[in-house]
Amino acid sequence: MSTIPLTKRGAEALKEELHRLKTVERPAVILAIAEARAQGDLSENAEYDAAKDKQGFIEGRILEVEGKLSVAQIIDPSTLDAGGRVVFGATVDLEDEDSGNAVTYQITGDDEADIKLGRISIGSPIARALIGKEAGDTAEVQAPGGVRRYEIIKVRYE
């Protein structure tokens, strides 16, 4: 299995989710199953079926998160020395050459990506266009509406 790149913040978020799943959600669903069993006939017990479904989801998510963490390559952007180039974990200030709008993105792993927070996946078209470039360069991104051009204003590792 190949490694999964994660920022330090992303790895911490997955560890927190795993802890919550194991210490809060798993015991709660076990209790819900026990309470539903106490009601009698399980063949027509909707609460039991719902609790078992939720248990399956929780156990599956625990396995998924444990698997991701086991193959994670954790990268702390603040320790990077990429010589001003855009790399995984970098935060990039851009200016759309057509509209003049400024945007800032951090390049993260798939699990961390959230456009509302300015985090884009390493596999996204814009991240692929930015990787390896530095301040002053122009990145061309194939977007649904055509090619968009962004000037890289600043690259930070924070």
Side-chain angles (χ1 to χ4, degrees), residues 40-61:
D41 186 11
L42 298 181
S43 64
E44 295 180 20
N45 190 328
E47 289 85 10
Y48 177 78
D49 291 339
K52 290 298 281 184
D53 287 346
K54 186 171 182 179
Q55 182 184 36
F57 173 79
I58 290 169
E59 295 302 324
R61 183 63 183 158

Side-chain angles (χ1 to χ4, degrees), residues 2 17 19 39 56 64 73 101 107 119 135 138 144 147 153 155:
S2 62
E17 179 184 3
H19 179 73
Q39 293 176 7
E64 181 181 2
Q73 178 184 4
N101 292 337
I107 300 173
R119 298 180 195 142
T138 298
V147 175
I153 306 300
V155 179

Side-chain angles (χ1 to χ4, degrees), residues 18-33 51 54-55 58-63 66:
L18 184 61
H19 179 73
R20 180 182 46 77
L21 287 168
K22 286 183 170 182
T23 61
V24 176
E25 305 234 0
R26 182 188 269 167
V29 79
I30 289 171
L31 181 61
I33 290 170
K54 186 171 182 179
Q55 182 184 36
I58 290 169
E59 295 302 324
R61 183 63 183 158
I62 287 171
L63 289 175
E66 285 177 338

Side-chain angles (χ1 to χ4, degrees), residues 58-105:
I58 290 169
E59 295 302 324
R61 183 63 183 158
I62 287 171
L63 289 175
E64 181 181 2
V65 172
E66 285 177 338
K68 286 179 182 182
L69 288 171
S70 72
V71 296
Q73 178 184 4
I74 299 171
I75 298 167
D76 184 354
S78 66
T79 63
L80 295 176
D81 181 19
R85 295 206 175 275
V86 178
V87 294
F88 179 87
T91 301
V92 187
D93 297 328
L94 305 169
E95 182 178 304
D96 186 320
E97 290 188 350
D98 293 333
S99 68
N101 292 337
V103 291
T104 300
Y105 295 123

